[in-house]
Amino acid sequence: QKIMEGRDADIVHCLRCFTCMAERASTATRRCTVNPLIGRELDGTEIQPAPMKKKVLVVGAGPGGLYAAYTAARRGHQVILCEKESEVGGILKSEQAIPFKREMYELGKTYERLARQAGVEIRLNTEVTPAYAAKEKPQALIIAAGSCPFVPPIKGLDGDNVIIVNQYYKEKAKVGNHVIVFGGGLAGCECAIHLGQEGKEVELIEMRPALAPDANVRHRPLLLAQVEKYVHVHTQYKGLEVTPEGVLCQDPQGQRILVPGDTVICALGQRSRTDVVEALRDSAPFVRVIGDAAKVSTITNAVYLGVLGCPRYLI
């Protein structure tokens, strides 16, 4: 219908994330990351008008915050969405430098468009503090402040040859020809594959015996096949120190081994922004914490909580 009407920009594109197939295989249910209402059109979950219009303040314009703002606006509320950075998308912004993940970056732009069309006021470069919330006096506050990279106190991890994986899109020009990806979760594996496809020599260090345990059951075999094609893998290697020559590790036998490389990509996971949550927890009569701010998880989880964060009996 959107194509027939010339509204191509309003189409919410598939991410090829395999969530629909993976969850149906394991639970006999189906979810879609980009459309949380799909398959539930007849069970009362369609967006309903709110009985009373309220002022809703949403903190953070990642996927969860954008979808929560969109949902609240569709219910008829006055919605203000604040983002402390100059662009919406949250962690999705980091996907723009990896061609096979660019749909995830574009999802943020699509949700922004839908939110604006629904009447959401988006304020960029705006950090919500307790004083800011007190000035706005929202009747409902949705905290979608996301997560921040986990950077453990390993010697040298703050060196000039280290790039945090979330910042790769800003600093990719600094990446040399021999790269170490430090962390073998989903984000680390995908970054390693991308670097290998670009012709880099890539080393992947992971402390656990298996790679990408956070990938879903359908995606993981395809991911690991690409890792095998492009990457030198070092599992059960514990990183001890980052040096200009590479990462000093302890191997499974307890021996110290230097994994060589001129650039280190730190991909050791994310931590919830609990500092923001605690600061704002009492800033409105109704407060809901969603997405990575509640628990580091997936885009799917953030988007679904974006709907559940606007329950019809409260907002």
Side-chain angles (χ1 to χ4, degrees):
Q1 185 69 29
K2 291 174 181 176
I3 292 173
M4 291 285 288
E5 294 174 358
R7 297 189 293 121
D8 296 40
D10 292 341
I11 295 172
V12 184
H13 289 276
C14 174
L15 301 184
R16 299 177 290 116
C17 65
F18 295 91
T19 294
C20 55
M21 292 187 288
E23 296 196 358
R24 185 163 183 133
S26 60
T27 67
T29 62
R30 175 174 286 165
R31 295 203 299 173
C32 171
T33 294
V34 301
N35 182 0
L37 301 181
I38 196 167
R40 294 167 172 80
E41 293 83 358
L42 301 180
D43 65 4
T45 56
E46 279 289 342
I47 305 301
Q48 301 294 330
M52 183 182 298
K53 181 178 179 180
K54 296 181 179 180
K55 183 176 183 179
V56 180
L57 179 63
V58 182
V59 181
L66 284 164
Y67 211 90
Y70 172 52
T71 302
R74 290 172 71 194
R75 300 209 60 223
H77 298 298
Q78 176 195 356
V79 184
I80 300 169
L81 172 59
C82 294
E83 168 55 52
K84 69 176 184 177
E85 298 188 7
S86 60
E87 182 183 2
V88 305
I91 201 169
L92 299 182
K93 295 196 299 291
S94 64
E95 311 294 13
Q96 62 187 280
I98 300 180
F100 58 81
K101 296 192 73 178
R102 190 170 176 87
E103 290 100 331
M104 295 185 179
Y105 167 67
E106 297 292 348
L107 179 65
K109 298 297 186 184
T110 302
Y111 281 170
E112 177 186 18
R113 178 180 174 85
L114 294 177
R116 289 188 187 278
Q117 288 177 342
V120 176
E121 179 187 348
I122 299 179
R123 300 176 182 175
L124 301 175
N125 301 302
T126 303
E127 183 173 2
V128 177
T129 62
Y132 189 93
K135 182 187 71 172
E136 290 295 334
K137 295 183 175 61
Q139 293 160 293
L141 177 69
I142 299 175
I143 304 174
S147 59
C148 56
F150 174 55
V151 183
I154 294 175
K155 185 178 179 181
L157 205 51
D158 58 351
D160 292 338
N161 61 330
V162 178
I163 298 171
I164 306 301
V165 68
N166 302 33
Q167 300 298 312
Y168 168 71
Y169 75 103
K170 295 180 179 179
E171 303 182 68
K172 62 179 300 183
K174 292 170 54 178
V175 178
N177 291 319
H178 194 177
V179 187
I180 302 169
V181 177
F182 194 5
L186 178 59
C189 287
E190 289 178 328
C191 185
I193 291 167
H194 161 66
L195 292 166
Q197 290 175 338
E198 287 204 327
K200 312 284 189 186
E201 184 176 358
V202 184
E203 316 287 342
L204 180 59
I205 297 173
E206 170 54 48
M207 186 169 65
R208 295 167 293 188
L211 298 175
D214 48 339
N216 71 49
V217 67
R218 297 297 192 195
H219 184 199
R220 190 168 180 267
L222 304 175
L223 182 81
L224 295 182
Q226 294 298 302
V227 169
E228 185 176 357
K229 182 177 179 180
Y230 290 107
V231 182
H232 306 297
V233 176
H234 309 272
T235 52
Q236 301 186 75
Y237 271 49
K238 181 180 179 180
L240 304 174
E241 180 181 349
V242 177
T243 74
E245 291 76 36
V247 179
L248 182 64
C249 299
Q250 179 178 296
D251 72 6
Q253 290 72 45
Q255 301 296 314
R256 292 194 167 208
I257 294 178
L258 180 71
V259 177
D262 48 33
T263 306
V264 177
I265 307 288
C266 178
L268 295 172
Q270 298 288 121
R271 288 284 177 90
S272 296
R273 291 296 311 273
T274 54
D275 55 331
V276 177
V277 174
E278 292 307 315
L280 298 175
R281 192 177 290 279
D282 300 319
S283 297
F286 170 77
V287 177
R288 182 62 58 90
V289 183
I290 67 170
D292 276 8
K295 180 183 179 181
V296 175
S297 187
T298 61
I299 301 173
T300 311
N301 184 62
V303 171
Y304 273 71
L305 287 176
V307 176
L308 298 175
C310 303
R312 87 193 76 154
Y313 57 92
L314 287 173
I315 300 185

